[in-house]
Amino acid sequence: GENVEQHPSTLSVQEGDSAVIKCTYSDSASNYFPWYKQELGKRPQLIIDIRSNVGEKKDQRIAVTLNKTAKHFSLHITETQPEDSAVYFCAASIPNAGGTSYGKLTFGQGTILTVHP
Amino acid sequence: NAGVTQTPKFQVLKTGQSMTLQCAQDMNHNSMYWYRQDPGMGLRLIYYSASEGTTDKGEVPNGYNVSRLNKREFSLRLESAAPSQTSVYFCASSELPGTGYTFGSGTRLTVV
């Protein structure tokens, strides 16, 4: 099955700096890569996602890049703010045998991001 | 619009007891999932239901059973709870295959 590795496990930055979290996946058939943010005691919430036919996607201060050849994708947060402090999870989805996907996501281990004022 | 609702929010069980975690979604989603979250291990898939009437094992199904009662509801049952099942359990749903999940608020389960 799919395996997703996420690094770093913890990341500490100063307010206003950029933060980058990287994930690698094992199955080259994976075609959907979402990122989730989980605040303490809350549910994970989707913040951005990218499909395999796209190399980069931006939404205000966050962006995701995908390198299919190397099988890795990254989350970039610019101009970080204290409210960005949370656990971030990457995930990957593999299509089923028929080419569609059940949306069955395999998650990375998570990155604890701390933004210091 | 409640989204994905999980009950209970907290539960303490003794080893060997059984219980059912309930999940319901009001978004008319086809697919539903159960994950467990443990420190340092991310979210691991227990079982999923791609559509009403179907269920499949995920990464860590041992010790669990599921029922897709109808399109809205997907329950997770622990027949004989073990301390290793102490975790936070999240239910999720998605409208179409390959789209992002909507998670419930989670159930914090402790088995003593």
Side-chain angles (χ1 to χ4, degrees):
Chain A
E2 174 69 286
N3 184 51
V4 178
E5 296 288 333
Q6 183 172 345
H7 299 280
S9 56
T10 60
L11 180 59
S12 182
V13 300
Q14 290 296 126
E15 184 177 359
D17 288 350
S18 294
V20 180
I21 302 170
K22 299 180 180 180
C23 289
T24 60
Y25 59 97
S26 60
D27 196 320
S28 57
S30 293
N31 63 354
Y32 174 67
F33 308 91
W35 285 88
Y36 287 83
K37 176 183 180 182
Q38 186 180 28
E39 297 176 349
L40 188 63
K42 301 288 183 64
R43 72 191 77 190
Q45 292 194 303
L46 179 69
I47 56 171
I48 195 168
D49 57 10
I50 193 169
R51 296 188 183 275
S52 58
N53 58 348
V54 176
E56 183 176 2
K57 184 176 180 180
K58 289 183 180 180
D59 184 2
Q60 299 182 349
R61 295 187 296 108
I62 61 174
V64 56
T65 58
L66 172 64
N67 183 328
K68 287 191 295 181
T69 303
K71 292 189 287 187
H72 68 71
F73 56 112
S74 299
L75 177 71
H76 305 255
I77 306 174
T78 58
E79 300 173 20
T80 54
Q81 301 167 2
E83 50 265 40
D84 294 329
S85 297
V87 181
Y88 291 81
F89 292 97
C90 63
S93 176
I94 305 172
N96 65 7
T100 59
S101 172
Y102 290 132
K104 187 179 64 166
L105 295 174
T106 299
F107 285 84
Q109 297 86 348
T111 296
I112 302 172
L113 173 64
T114 303
V115 181
H116 299 282
Chain B
N1 200 347
V4 179
T5 302
Q6 286 184 239
T7 56
K9 293 189 183 302
F10 302 94
Q11 183 72 48
V12 178
L13 289 178
K14 293 183 179 179
T15 298
Q17 288 185 318
S18 62
M19 79 162 294
T20 299
L21 281 65
Q22 306 287 352
C23 176
Q25 52 91 8
D26 62 2
M27 298 171 287
N28 201 35
H29 284 176
N30 290 306
S31 302
M32 298 185 74
Y33 316 84
W34 277 104
Y35 281 83
R36 60 178 289 173
Q37 183 174 29
D38 302 292
M41 303 188 74
L43 293 140
R44 293 182 293 168
L45 183 64
I46 305 171
Y47 271 93
Y48 67 103
S49 172
S51 60
E52 184 179 358
T54 68
T55 61
D56 284 287
K57 295 179 180 179
E59 181 184 355
V60 289
N62 292 344
Y64 306 95
N65 283 298
V66 291
S67 294
R68 184 75 183 265
L69 304 171
N70 47 55
K71 191 172 185 178
R72 290 186 64 250
E73 299 173 286
F74 189 39
S75 62
L76 178 71
R77 182 160 180 83
L78 287 71
E79 291 291 350
S80 179
S84 60
Q85 294 178 305
T86 294
S87 187
V88 179
Y89 291 84
F90 284 99
C91 176
S93 68
S94 64
E95 178 181 4
L96 295 172
T99 59
Y101 292 174
T102 298
F103 282 91
S105 57
T107 296
R108 185 173 294 276
L109 175 66
T110 302
V111 183
V112 297

